[in-house]
Amino acid sequence: MQSAFGKVILLGEHAVVHGRPAIAAALPRGATASAEADPAGPLLSVPAWGTMVEPADGSDLGRAFAAVVEWLGAASARCKVIAEPQIPAGGGLGCSAAVGVAVARALAAFLGRELDTSEASEAALAWERVIHGNPSGIDNLIAAGGGVGVYRRGEPLRPIALGLPVRLAIGDTGTRGSTRAMVESVAQQRERRPEATDEILDGIGALVDSGAAALERGHLRVLGQHFDLCQALLASLLVSTVEIEELCAIARDAGAFGAKLTGGGGGGSVIAVAERPDDVVQAWSGRGYSGFAVELAGR
Ligand code: PMV
């Protein structure tokens, strides 16, 4: 059984698409996949999504699978890859990249190969290009290698040594965002209003630099302030929603140091940093939202 990590972006989503840095952290769960012999292969089955695809079937998933098959030179692999996502799709938690990495590893293992982290990440980037259009590369890198670090497009992850474990509450808005649509919308804003949009992206990038220092020093209250500022800047890029704002407000009322959307926005998930994330999860559930608590440990 092959596996891959999910992820949260702590600071810097959207700005990272446009060359600014971002901080990402792996979640313990992401996706698993295995491959079994099948004469009709290569095939990909994702039972949780009720779907089975083949590379040439024209579906988005089929084309993403085709990109991985091509990257691996695996067109003649007579197998069916069965993938099991462990996090919601469209939830801003890097589900598609995790499935891409797990699928690439399972297909390679069927062919007797073991992919190293950078190979698994590259194979999943080919997958992500189909699903997302213009991925920054952050999701596939974390899905393959795990850890917590600062990422800038085209550069390796710079690991962050956490000063303290970071406790997060992760809440689900119950609505699904399209990362692709949100990324395209920001790109359009940048075309229409280049200076104003770049100022916002620069502001998010600046938060990443000082947020990384807060993480290294274990200053979680300061990190929370960075979350709040980042959320305000993301909202000004029109990627927030009523539900996201509500989850953030509930989290702050329940004692969180700060809260923001994570990932593409337009729906999906919210993260809150808190001393007692379970209090936040409970407050969300009292208002009809589901969530869970995680503790991030750097490597
Ligand atoms: O929605 P997710 O989990 O795929 O995260 C997307 C993060 C963005 O910065 C919006 C896009 C990207 O490719 O980095």
Side-chain angles (χ1 to χ4, degrees):
M1 179 73 75
Q2 304 295 320
S3 63
F5 301 98
K7 67 98 200 25
V8 284
I9 296 184
L10 297 178
L11 293 166
E13 48 275 272
H14 286 290
V16 69
V17 175
H18 302 281
R20 278 70 170 184
I23 304 174
L27 296 173
R29 295 190 308 167
T32 61
S34 57
E36 61 187 35
D38 190 317
L43 295 170
L44 169 62
S45 162
V46 190
W49 298 343
T51 182
M52 170 127 95
V53 296
E54 50 185 279
D57 70 5
S59 67
D60 278 0
L61 194 62
R63 289 189 302 116
F65 184 47
V68 168
V69 168
E70 190 188 332
W71 196 93
L72 289 168
S76 57
R78 298 289 162 253
C79 69
K80 177 165 76 179
V81 178
I82 300 157
E84 304 282 355
Q86 300 166 312
I87 46 180
L93 302 180
C95 180
S96 80
V99 173
V101 164
V103 166
R105 284 186 169 142
L107 196 52
F110 183 81
L111 300 172
R113 286 170 56 189
E114 193 179 332
L115 301 182
D116 65 24
T117 298
S118 90
E119 289 171 326
S121 172
E122 282 299 315
L125 182 60
W127 163 289
E128 285 282 274
R129 285 203 179 102
V130 176
I131 306 274
H132 279 340
N134 181 19
S136 65
I138 194 168
D139 284 20
N140 48 294
L141 196 62
I142 293 283
V148 182
V150 178
Y151 172 77
R152 198 187 271 269
R153 215 168 174 156
E155 294 178 14
L157 192 77
R158 178 170 71 76
I160 294 177
L162 298 179
L164 283 177
V166 177
R167 298 200 188 98
L168 294 180
I170 302 179
D172 189 344
T173 58
T175 57
R176 295 284 160 260
S178 159
T179 298
R180 187 188 192 112
M182 292 297 116
V183 167
E184 281 171 9
S185 149
V186 173
Q188 279 165 10
Q189 289 172 53
R190 200 158 173 252
E191 268 170 34
R192 279 199 304 268
R193 303 186 309 144
E195 276 176 29
T197 309
D198 274 336
E199 264 175 34
I200 299 169
L201 298 175
D202 285 340
I204 296 176
L207 286 174
V208 167
D209 292 333
S210 54
L215 281 165
E216 274 159 3
R217 294 183 189 132
H219 291 170
L220 301 185
R221 194 172 290 277
V222 176
L223 181 69
Q225 290 163 351
H226 283 63
F227 276 22
D228 288 347
L229 288 167
C230 189
Q231 172 59 26
L233 291 168
L234 288 166
S236 74
L237 290 174
L238 308 176
V239 295
S240 190
T241 65
V242 172
E243 291 84 8
I244 289 169
E245 297 299 334
E246 189 177 13
L247 279 166
C248 289
I250 296 169
R252 293 178 194 121
D253 285 349
F257 298 136
K260 61 182 278 293
L261 67 85
T262 187
S269 301
V270 162
I271 53 172
V273 56
E275 206 150 70
R276 291 197 301 274
D278 289 329
D279 290 357
V280 175
V281 173
Q282 209 176 356
W284 282 335
S285 104
R287 302 280 289 276
Y289 292 108
S290 64
F292 58 98
V294 291
E295 186 171 291
L296 305 178
R299 287 195 306 181

